[in-house]
Amino acid sequence: MLETELRDALRSYLERLELPVELVASLDDGAKSAELRELLREIVALSPRLSLREDGDDARRPSFRIVRSGTDVEVAFAGIPLGHEFTSLVLALLQVGGVAPKVAPELAEQVRALQGEWSFETFMSLSCHSCPDTVQALNALSVLNPRIRHVAIDGALFQSEVEQRQVLAVPSVFLDGQPFDQGRMSVEQIVARLDRGAAQREAAAIDAKGVFDVLVVGGGPAGAAAAIYAARKGIRTALVAERLGGQVADTLSIENLISVPYTEGPRLTAALEQHVLAYEVDILRGQRAQALLPAAAGEPIGVRLQSGATLKARSVVLATGARWRNMDVPGEQEYRNRGVTYCPHCDGPLFKGKRVAVIGGGNSGVEAAIDLAGVVAHVTLLEFDRQLRADEVLQRKLRSLPNVRVITQARTTEVVGDGSRVRGLLYTDLASGAAQRLDLEGVFVQIGLLPNAEWLRGALALSARGEVEVDARGATSLPGVFAAGDVTTTPYKQIVIAMGEGAKAALGAFDHLIRLPVQAAQQPLAA
């Protein structure tokens, strides 16, 4: 079942196992159970520390638990964790087998100290590149604290449960049978929800950090590049972000990063993180900026966070990126993650055999329609303009698909549903002015990005499109504040451009610092 190269790599990883591990399978007579049995037997044959039992009593079949022998440490999978979840499987085997999860020591102690009993379920898709982060975070929690239980469930395999719980986006996390959250989550974010006093303690710790030379706000390619370039100058650098990777973490395939013919978003995100960690950068995760506080006379610049804490720095690089643009029509927010979604790779398998619409005729929209056409019953692509804007090679592929319909000059006016999920979409035919309805179960929105700059309004100059205005050095209208990446007026929103702009902004910030009057310095560089 596993290819030779993958099997050899897995055997090498399993040599790191320190403790005996049991795989306890719950199977039936179906084809998927036979497939899981084959996979587990292959895995067990790769290490003498692994053993397999097929007497599991889980109601979900096929499923299996990974149990540290003689203990209550375990994680569980309902389904066959291949695809993007194969890494989650490997990490679960290693961590249950005694290899410590890659969690900061103080955070690991915080997890172990959590009191109570928690039972988590994550509905995921094997094609979802956002799901592994959430699955792996909850698995790590369950290894560190056995009072936390977690099972990752392949939504495509357990369709009836998906329908019953109305799961229309992945990852969807349930706690004790009730909805907990949706989307990518880190260990830090989950612990902050479980440990009610954590946010206050963390805010107090942030307030006590003193003044940085360069504070980078944002963790995508621009932010990572800025942090690396600043730290290489030997000055006190911090990076604050909700998550590292930004939009890159949600990108499936990347083929235009020069010198790297092909990579994927999660892989590039991990590489960015490792590169930043190679330098003395104070990384503050799970934090969202709320306000930029311009420097008063002789005082540093401030960035107030939603947690209530304030970071101070002598210069700031803004790299908060952009997010998916909403249609801003009635029903969109009401049915978000209940049929309205923004990630075809993640959520497409949940709409298998259903009728869906894709909004947007650019490259993203056409690529989404092509991708979905192989999964769903029918795709209708709606474009506001008279013609599609995607590359011709993509349009030719789209036109070759029998279950795709393209409607141009269509303005979406409303998403309609039954109160619990999407049932249709209303649009206006701009050629005739007639109102039209499409009956469907899913709407995939692919109409571009919006800069994450609302929190900066009134503090510095923004363009008519809400982007941060920058000059050739990355400087904004506010002295000491620089910006880079998709949040700025720099044209062509590309990863390679964001990296370069981040480096340039950091160099601009350093140049600003060394030219400050001596009496204006709050502390020596590299303090």
Side-chain angles (χ1 to χ4, degrees), residues 17-96:
L17 291 174
E18 301 172 5
L19 301 168
V21 174
E22 291 182 323
L23 306 184
V24 183
S26 298
L27 307 170
D28 56 23
D29 296 329
K32 287 297 181 181
S33 285
E35 188 177 339
L36 178 60
R37 179 184 291 111
E38 180 184 354
L39 173 64
L40 296 182
R41 288 180 176 178
E42 279 194 56
I43 292 173
V44 167
L46 299 177
S47 172
R49 292 192 181 274
L50 294 176
S51 61
L52 173 62
R53 289 168 38 200
E54 299 183 13
D55 58 352
D57 58 1
D58 196 305
R60 296 188 184 99
R61 295 169 187 258
S63 65
F64 66 103
R65 295 182 294 126
I66 304 174
V67 183
R68 182 178 297 170
S69 299
T71 76
D72 53 1
V73 175
E74 67 173 62
V75 300
F77 290 90
I80 306 170
L82 296 175
H84 286 295
E85 291 300 337
F86 186 71
T87 301
S88 301
L89 170 60
V90 175
L91 287 174
L93 290 166
L94 293 176
Q95 291 168 5
V96 173

Side-chain angles (χ1 to χ4, degrees), residues 105-118:
E106 61 275 13
L107 182 58
E109 285 304 312
Q110 185 182 353
V111 173
R112 294 188 185 100
L114 290 171
Q115 300 298 312
E117 300 284 338
W118 294 276

Side-chain angles (χ1 to χ4, degrees), residues 341-354:
T341 181
Y342 302 81
C343 182
H345 302 298
C346 299
D347 300 332
L350 299 176
F351 294 85
K352 183 177 181 179
K354 301 182 185 300

Side-chain angles (χ1 to χ4, degrees), residues 484-513:
D486 288 2
V487 75
T488 72
T489 51
T490 300
Y492 311 120
K493 313 303 186 186
Q494 298 292 314
I495 294 171
V496 68
I497 292 174
M499 288 177 171
E501 292 296 308
K504 183 169 67 176
L507 294 174
F510 179 74
D511 187 64
H512 166 79
L513 290 172

Side-chain angles (χ1 to χ4, degrees), residues 325-470:
R325 183 185 297 272
N326 292 324
M327 296 183 293
D328 293 326
V329 300
E332 179 179 18
Q333 294 306 314
E334 179 184 354
Y335 291 104
R336 188 183 181 102
N337 294 328
R338 293 192 290 166
V340 175
T341 181
Y342 302 81
C343 182
H345 302 298
C346 299
D347 300 332
L350 299 176
F351 294 85
K352 183 177 181 179
K354 301 182 185 300
R355 302 177 66 85
V356 304
V358 172
I359 312 302
N363 281 348
S364 295
V366 172
E367 287 173 353
I370 293 170
D371 185 25
L372 290 165
V375 178
V376 304
H378 189 271
V379 181
T380 302
L381 186 147
L382 289 88
E383 163 59 37
F384 181 86
D385 205 347
R386 292 176 178 271
Q387 58 188 12
L388 301 184
R389 294 167 286 108
D391 296 341
E392 180 58 31
V393 63
L394 293 175
Q395 293 192 43
R396 285 199 299 270
K397 174 64 176 178
L398 186 72
R399 290 192 292 267
S400 73
L401 300 174
N403 62 335
V404 175
R405 176 190 180 195
V406 175
I407 303 176
T408 57
Q409 291 186 272
R411 183 178 65 221
T412 304
T413 56
E414 185 176 355
V415 177
V416 295
D418 60 10
S420 62
R421 59 190 305 167
V422 167
R423 294 300 182 189
L425 179 148
L426 306 182
Y427 71 94
T428 299
D429 182 335
L430 297 176
S432 66
Q436 304 286 346
R437 173 180 172 126
L438 292 174
D439 291 323
L440 41 76
E441 290 79 36
V443 179
F444 290 79
V445 183
Q446 301 282 290
I447 55 174
L449 300 170
L450 282 175
N452 294 318
E454 294 87 349
W455 64 285
L456 298 166
R457 196 169 298 280
L460 44 68
L462 301 179
S463 71
R465 298 181 60 182
E467 298 167 324
V468 178
E469 294 184 349
V470 292

Side-chain angles (χ1 to χ4, degrees), residues 185-234:
M185 297 188 74
S186 65
V187 171
E188 291 88 349
Q189 290 171 315
I190 299 168
V191 171
R193 295 275 298 274
L194 301 181
D195 186 351
R196 297 184 182 277
Q200 291 85 347
R201 294 194 301 272
E202 188 170 11
I206 291 173
D207 280 333
K209 283 186 175 292
V211 179
F212 292 96
D213 291 316
V214 175
L215 172 62
V216 180
V217 185
I228 290 167
Y229 265 72
R232 285 174 59 87
K233 292 295 184 181

